[in-house]
Amino acid sequence: TTSRPLILVTGKLIPHVLKRLAKEFEIREIARPDADLLTPDDREHVRGVAASFLGASAPFIDALPKLEIIASFGVGYDAVDAAHAVQRDVVVTNTPDVLTDEVADTAIALLLNTVRGFGQAERFLRAGQWPQGPFPLSKGTLRGRRIGIFGMGRIGLAIARRLEGFGVAIAYHNRRPVEGVSYTYHATLKDLAEACDTLIDVAPATPETTRAVNADILQALGADGVFINVGRGATVDEPALIEALQARTILAAGLDVFANEPHVPQALIDADNATLLPHVASASQHTREAMADLLVDNLESWFSRGEALTPVPETAAISRKA
Ligand code: NDP
């Protein structure tokens, strides 16, 4: 078994990953991506990392001299230092496509729940308040809404396709317009926010998108404004969002992601116009197993054929030395 590549599993991954990895690889598990948790001997021999949402920092990558590949769980890989990995000739893979439909479904559910206040309505029923009178009419409705999608990529497009069935107007902002789609393109996020009353954020966390959704953008949505985030918390100025919700500058927000997960500011928990989910957009057994399969398939393909299946763009040119 010593000839089997040593794969390091960092953080908690679903059992399906470990079950499959154990068939072909030697495995070590550590609670977080910290090389101090490994024996010096293991550190010298790790050739692959199966990374949880905790990612991989530059010092962690540098502590593993034989590292060839980081297979990251999830499509967003902002927690992995891909720029540093490419310098070290380490390929990084993610799990695109297999989670697209699940995340788009979640975005639609979060949108409807946020606009109509169904979470609040359920809490009202469970608290035994119904016999005292009906739940108040919702101020919001999806009828007549103009929806803007920030990040018209794989998931953004799946959200837009679903929204077509709801008869709402759809526009978007990316750095570049997407060929072959008829939704209205806006060259800046501000232009999109001014043209819409509902902003769905499904953009990746990058230096460029950091806190892109700020007070100015939220204000532009207007008093009937709704902000939905299934992308990353880092793309939002969270204190500005809290202020907009408290001052009712916007109507409501629906959030699956936060700036400092799993810690959610008390002000958001207290906001009756916020609908909050604990980062569950892709979190069905079905989809998490498909993500796990793609993660392991990437490692198998790399160590058997020298090719990763879904390398991230930054590291796509790296191939395995014979
Ligand atoms: P894609 O790469 O297919 O789409 C990303 C889109 O964002 C592209 O259309 C891109 O267009 C646009 N974009 C990137 N940078 C910028 C920028 N600076 N300004 C404006 N637009 C930008 O990714 P996916 O659709 O597969 O996933 C999107 C993100 O969703 C992931 O990165 C992840 O963070 C998040 N996610 C969250 C989940 C959850 O559990 N809540 C689950 C899955 C994903 P262009 O290049 O033209 O700018």
Side-chain angles (χ1 to χ4, degrees):
T1 64
T2 45
S3 64
R4 305 196 320 169
L6 179 60
I7 304 294
L8 182 60
V9 178
T10 60
K12 217 168 162 48
L13 287 172
I14 61 170
H16 189 65
V17 175
L18 303 172
K19 215 165 45 194
R20 277 203 54 200
L21 282 178
K23 288 190 186 137
E24 299 210 16
F25 301 104
E26 190 72 27
I27 308 176
R28 297 288 181 279
E29 283 180 75
I30 53 178
R32 47 178 201 283
D34 177 351
D36 290 344
L37 301 176
L38 286 169
T39 65
D41 186 61
D42 281 347
R43 233 180 284 164
E44 290 302 313
H45 289 98
V46 169
R47 294 176 63 193
V49 166
S52 69
F53 294 118
L54 297 173
S57 66
F60 177 67
I61 293 169
D62 285 340
L64 305 171
K66 293 269 162 47
L67 185 62
E68 298 172 35
I69 179 168
I70 300 168
S72 184
F73 192 79
V75 69
Y77 55 96
D78 44 281
V80 178
D81 194 333
H84 191 74
V86 74
Q87 281 174 23
R88 280 276 326 275
D89 240 7
V90 171
V91 70
V92 177
T93 66
N94 62 347
T95 62
D97 300 313
V98 295
L99 46 57
T100 294
D101 284 327
E102 199 79 71
V103 177
D105 291 350
T106 307
I108 299 296
L110 188 53
L111 173 64
L112 283 167
N113 278 309
T114 303
V115 168
R116 295 292 317 285
F118 293 142
Q120 293 85 331
E122 189 185 358
R123 287 196 290 280
F124 169 93
L125 182 153
R126 287 181 185 275
Q129 292 174 265
W130 194 5
Q132 283 91 61
F135 186 69
L137 306 184
S138 70
K139 286 209 193 78
T141 175
L142 201 59
R143 301 302 95 226
R145 277 197 179 269
R146 292 162 299 147
I147 313 241
I149 297 177
F150 175 28
M152 185 63 86
R154 289 171 292 243
I155 299 169
L157 194 60
I159 294 171
R161 296 294 185 229
R162 282 160 175 71
L163 284 174
E164 284 184 29
F166 292 91
V168 291
I170 303 166
Y172 72 100
H173 165 63
N174 275 2
R175 286 166 300 184
R176 287 168 295 273
V178 181
E179 260 178 71
V181 315
S182 55
Y183 312 120
T184 311
Y185 174 71
H186 293 275
T188 69
L189 184 57
K190 184 70 184 293
D191 287 345
L192 178 68
E194 275 167 355
C196 295
D197 50 36
T198 308
L199 186 64
I200 301 180
D201 182 347
V202 65
T206 68
E208 272 183 286
T209 62
T210 301
R211 287 186 289 282
V213 179
N214 55 28
D216 204 28
I217 300 296
L218 293 166
Q219 172 106 43
L221 294 176
D224 197 34
V226 169
F227 175 63
I228 302 296
N229 195 359
V230 290
R232 281 289 183 266
T235 64
V236 182
D237 180 344
E238 209 168 67
L241 174 61
I242 290 168
E243 209 173 294
L245 287 167
Q246 287 174 342
R248 314 253 160 201
T249 316
I250 61 170
L251 180 71
L255 311 171
D256 184 49
V257 287
F258 302 87
N260 182 29
E261 296 175 12
H263 306 289
V264 176
Q266 191 61 39
L268 281 178
I269 290 171
D270 292 341
D272 64 355
N273 50 354
T275 296
L276 311 173
L277 294 176
H279 202 145
V280 292
S282 70
S284 68
Q285 242 164 48
H286 169 91
T287 293
R288 288 288 169 90
E289 284 196 8
M291 292 160 65
D293 278 327
L294 183 51
L295 181 154
V296 178
D297 289 347
N298 265 295
L299 290 170
E300 287 183 356
S301 174
W302 180 259
F303 287 106
S304 65
R305 287 193 299 279
E307 241 175 84
L309 300 176
T310 52
V312 303
E314 294 94 319
T315 68
I318 298 173
S319 59
R320 187 155 170 255
K321 300 164 270 304

